[in-house]
Amino acid sequence: MAFETITVETRDHVGVVRLDRPEALNALNAALLGELATAIARFEDDAAIGAVVLTGSEKAFAAGADIKEMAERTYPQTLIDDFMAGTWLAASRARKPVIAAVSGYALGGGCELAMMCDIVLATESARFGLPEITLGVIPGAGGTQRLVRAVGKAKAMEMILSGRFMTAEEAERAGLVSRIVPDAELLDEAVKVGEKIASMSLPAVIHAKASVNRAFETSLEEGLLYERSVFYSLFATEDQKEGMAAFVEKRQARFRDR
């Protein structure tokens, strides 16, 4: 399948998806979101892929949802279509880790898309914001929920109520960004992180990701019970035996994802 709004490549064990609507600063329209969901699903099904990198251009990761496509929608349409569900949530539903490599604008839906990813690397030029309030609406793809969990209530309130942008440096201090990397190294560094993850046991990676996400969704006690149950379950895998044997024997583990 040829894609029109994204480009897709494989770098060893990492899938790379680049948003590619330069004329619209990678604004997220229905076509792009559909193709993104398809690409992520293919990488999810590919046993050779251990992680996915999602990136845009130097100027924009994604400058938001496509407002031209959205402007004439009505409340009944939006409600019945469940507009901000479906393909909008593909990145957040991936079981394999997704790494956002952000340069330039990550605004509105673009910021929400970055927050759906598990790790966010950014360049100094990156700018994060949820300016939907200036359009007479609010974030609708998880922005009001994920931003609070990432940076706390005070900063989230200011950004969402005023539309203020956050620099990469502030975003890193606040916990929205994992770390800042030089512009020229952004994609290579993201792929490097993906390769490191892909070298681990995939069952352990999937359980680790799910356990961290559970911390945002349940009480501490429920999270601890979940963590403990999946920790125990990993002792049924061949990779646990290999990983611990390799440690004892002082050699590199050779995981087989089973």
Side-chain angles (χ1 to χ4, degrees), residues 13-97:
H13 300 290
V14 178
V16 178
V17 182
R18 184 184 295 275
L19 309 184
D20 190 26
R21 293 188 70 211
E23 75 288 351
L25 294 178
N26 293 333
L28 305 172
N29 64 0
L32 187 153
L33 290 166
E35 290 187 347
L36 175 60
T38 297
I40 290 174
R42 288 183 178 181
F43 285 135
E44 285 274 276
D45 292 338
D46 188 341
I49 297 298
V52 177
V53 170
L54 179 58
T55 192
S57 66
E58 289 184 12
K59 186 177 292 186
F61 175 73
D66 193 320
I67 304 305
K68 292 180 180 178
E69 192 176 77
M70 193 185 299
E72 299 302 317
R73 293 188 69 89
T74 65
Y75 170 66
Q77 273 184 301
T78 308
L79 175 65
I80 293 169
D81 294 347
D82 202 4
F83 178 55
M84 301 303 279
T87 56
W88 270 97
L89 303 178
S92 69
R93 290 172 173 165
R95 299 179 75 202
K96 295 176 181 177

Side-chain angles (χ1 to χ4, degrees), residues 229-251:
S229 68
V230 296
F231 171 76
Y232 293 162
S233 74
L234 288 168
F235 281 79
T237 67
E238 293 180 16
D239 283 347
Q240 174 268 327
K241 304 297 185 291
E242 165 62 13
M244 293 190 177
F247 178 84
V248 171
E249 296 164 12
K250 296 181 171 57
R251 60 174 175 82

Side-chain angles (χ1 to χ4, degrees), residues 133-200:
I133 199 76
T134 67
L135 302 175
V137 293
I138 68 170
T144 63
Q145 306 303 299
R146 290 192 175 94
L147 189 63
V148 173
R149 287 165 167 76
V151 305
K153 179 181 176 181
K155 281 189 180 292
M157 277 290 193
E158 182 190 8
M159 290 177 68
I160 291 168
L161 297 183
S162 73
R164 182 177 76 84
F165 296 174
M166 184 181 283
T167 65
E169 183 180 354
E170 182 183 1
E172 184 187 33
R173 289 199 310 268
L176 179 60
V177 165
S178 307
R179 55 192 168 94
I180 299 172
V181 299
D183 291 56
E185 299 174 17
L186 176 63
L187 183 56
D188 287 344
E189 185 62 23
V191 171
K192 181 179 177 181
V193 173
E195 279 291 350
K196 181 68 174 178
I197 293 169
S199 72
M200 307 300 175

Side-chain angles (χ1 to χ4, degrees), residues 209-225:
K209 171 176 171 171
S211 295
V212 173
N213 283 332
R214 187 61 64 99
F216 288 97
E217 299 161 2
T218 63
S219 67
L220 175 60
E221 185 61 29
E222 287 298 317
L224 291 170
L225 289 172

